[in-house]
Amino acid sequence: MRNARQWVIAALGAVAGFALVNFGNIASSVVVMVLVVVFLLVLTTPVLYPRSVSDDASRVLAAERSVPLVYWRPGCIFCLRLRVALLMRGKKAVWTNIREDAAAAARIRSVNDGNETVPTVFVGSEHRTNPSPSWVIEQFV
């Protein structure tokens, strides 16, 4: 997590320098910086995802609705790629944040050789780690 913060600080510094050089004044640079910060916050928080439910509840919901069960965590660019690629279908899937539920994290570790690799998508008894969005779209009944 510490390395991620250092990269964010470096990226913000680079954007600030770019904005100052290209826009020529501090006011424009501040606007660009605020937009970049808001963009980064949206990307690294659960804003784009449906409300996360517990592992037990998510298994039941996914089975009842016949939709994929997606395990994810905030800040995961691959989870974000999947969520954006699914568009409106993504809201129909069941999303479980492994940072909020220890049981969900344990399930992910059990199928990924002890690693908490996300997104991991379950459809029935089948699972795929970091699947292509097209595969996930095909799983919607």
Side-chain angles (χ1 to χ4, degrees), residues 2 7 9 23 33-34 39-40 42-43 48 57 65-66 74 77 79 87 96 99-100 106 109 115 118 125 134:
R2 185 173 181 200
W7 280 106
I9 291 169
F23 298 116
M33 289 294 295
V34 168
F39 179 72
L40 289 173
V42 168
L43 287 182
L48 294 175
R65 296 181 190 169
S66 296
I77 194 70
C79 299
L87 297 172
T96 300
R99 292 291 180 243
E100 292 180 358
R109 285 191 304 271
N115 299 311
V118 289
S125 61
S134 60

Side-chain angles (χ1 to χ4, degrees), residues 30-64:
V30 169
V31 169
V32 170
M33 289 294 295
V34 168
L35 291 174
V36 167
V37 168
V38 169
F39 179 72
L40 289 173
L41 287 173
V42 168
L43 287 182
T44 58
T45 59
V47 171
L48 294 175
Y49 301 90
R51 188 166 184 233
S52 184
V53 294
S54 71
D55 187 44
D56 293 333
S58 64
R59 291 182 195 204
V60 171
L61 273 172
E64 286 175 356

